[in-house]
Amino acid sequence: MIRGSLVAIVTPMHDDGSVDFDTYRKLIEWHISQGTDAIVSMGTTGESPTLDFDEHNEVVECAVKTAAGRIPVVAGTGANSTAEAIRLTKFAKEVGADASLQVVPYYNKPTQEGLYQHFKAVSDAVDIPIILYNVPGRTVADLKNDTVLRLAKLPGIVGLKDATGDLARAIDLLRRLPSEIGAKEFALYSGNDDSALALMLVGGSGVISVTANLLPAQMHEMAQAALNGDIGKARRLNDLLMPLHQKLFVEPNPVAPKWALYRMGLIGKAIRLPLTMLSAPNQKVVEDAMIEAGMSI
């Protein structure tokens, strides 16, 4: 089971919009040196909606080859077409990804039974650990706890990224899991940086983090302190990080983290339409949050 701070890594781009693979490799090396516990490649923060099929696969393969087994790579291979999700997941498996992140199918609004059959079909088709991803604010469809519990019984389904921000819901799931799946391990990750500490303290396994793009060492240390029960240290670090947890979503993700990384000199400023560069007023907002979090910029 992967535990700790898993970075939802951005995808750097050249000014012409093409993927900047050299910078991507440098970012991954930096994360490894800073203690990040896993790389999540081609999630929403990686601009997966605007990369075509071949680009998507190339980015995943680059992440796997660069990490070279030093830390796990989770490949975002979900889609609102089950057949496409299977194709993407098969490729990730072939190139050596350690796990797949499978988002709830977006736009077409499947029922709970449709969601169950979708994820089951992907799990049946590809022998790779699958982490479900529930983010109803983006997908509209909402993966309910009862459906998660059904899926958790399948051998290939090993976790859930919960981006609902509903701590009571997470507690309910954690309480019910043991009676439903017995001794099988099932990881619950926060998909929201601002509530990640709370979720880990009630039994979560970590966080798939946007903030970790900027302060990977601090996110790793906060997650480890929380998982080890060092509440004082975890709270101190989380208090420091909270300005970023909040302000990196001042515009739709990944607009703010990409601009912040550009401001740090780590990537170029390019982002693909329909997203645009962070607006001037919000650049000041994010810059102030970076300074409040102790960053030298």
Side-chain angles (χ1 to χ4, degrees):
M1 182 187 294
I2 303 170
R3 293 169 60 84
S5 173
L6 296 70
V7 64
I9 196 167
V10 303
T11 303
M13 296 173 181
H14 297 291
D15 288 343
D16 65 1
S18 61
V19 175
D20 183 350
F21 286 101
D22 287 341
T23 299
Y24 193 56
R25 294 182 188 96
K26 290 176 183 177
L27 281 182
I28 292 170
E29 292 291 350
W30 180 56
H31 278 285
I32 292 170
S33 71
Q34 293 290 301
T36 293
D37 296 290
I39 302 293
V40 179
S41 176
M42 280 290 90
T44 307
T45 312
E47 293 179 79
S48 57
T50 58
L51 270 68
D52 66 30
F53 192 85
D54 290 338
E55 288 175 319
H56 187 121
N57 286 341
E58 289 169 5
V59 171
V60 168
E61 185 172 16
C62 179
V64 173
K65 287 183 175 179
T66 304
R70 291 173 290 171
I71 61 172
V73 173
V74 180
T77 57
N80 65 343
S81 160
T82 305
E84 182 179 342
I86 290 171
R87 285 179 64 202
L88 289 167
T89 306
K90 282 183 175 179
F91 181 86
K93 166 72 175 179
E94 289 169 3
V95 298
D98 296 278
S100 162
L101 183 68
Q102 288 287 330
V103 71
V104 165
Y106 37 87
Y107 188 76
N108 45 17
K109 300 173 70 173
T111 64
Q112 293 302 301
E113 183 60 25
L115 293 174
Y116 176 81
Q117 294 298 338
H118 168 82
F119 291 122
K120 182 178 185 300
V122 178
S123 181
D124 288 346
V126 190
D127 181 18
I128 190 172
I130 289 174
I131 300 168
L132 309 170
Y133 177 19
N134 190 32
V135 56
R138 285 185 179 267
T139 63
V140 181
D142 184 1
L143 186 65
K144 303 296 186 182
N145 278 359
D146 287 347
T147 308
V148 174
L149 291 167
R150 286 182 68 195
L151 288 163
K153 295 175 184 178
L154 302 176
I157 308 290
V158 301
L160 169 69
K161 175 185 176 183
D162 179 355
T164 66
D166 186 342
L167 189 60
R169 178 170 169 165
I171 292 170
D172 173 68
L173 180 63
L174 289 165
R175 180 181 64 83
R176 295 165 62 193
L177 275 167
S179 62
E180 295 287 337
I181 63 173
K184 178 191 171 186
E185 286 191 311
F186 188 88
L188 182 59
Y189 302 102
S190 176
N192 300 84
D193 282 298
D194 58 2
S195 57
L197 173 58
L199 188 141
M200 285 186 279
L201 292 179
V202 298
S205 298
V207 55
I208 297 180
S209 172
V210 173
T211 300
N213 279 285
L214 277 65
L215 291 176
Q218 292 85 340
M219 280 300 301
H220 164 76
E221 291 172 13
M222 187 276 285
Q224 291 304 314
L227 294 170
N228 292 334
D230 189 344
I231 298 174
K233 180 179 180 180
R235 287 185 62 183
R236 287 192 298 273
L237 286 165
N238 195 58
D239 287 348
L240 179 70
L241 294 162
M242 188 56 72
L244 295 177
H245 294 344
Q246 295 174 330
K247 302 305 182 185
L248 287 180
F249 292 89
V250 68
E251 290 185 22
N253 186 44
V255 171
K258 288 198 84 171
W259 180 85
L261 287 167
Y262 164 68
R263 180 70 176 80
M264 294 166 67
L266 294 178
I267 68 171
K269 61 183 179 181
I271 192 165
R272 284 192 181 179
L273 290 170
L275 299 180
T276 55
M277 182 186 283
L278 189 66
S279 65
N282 283 330
Q283 289 178 19
K284 180 65 165 57
V285 170
V286 173
E287 191 172 71
D288 287 347
M290 294 168 74
I291 293 169
E292 189 177 352
M295 299 179 66
S296 299
I297 56 174

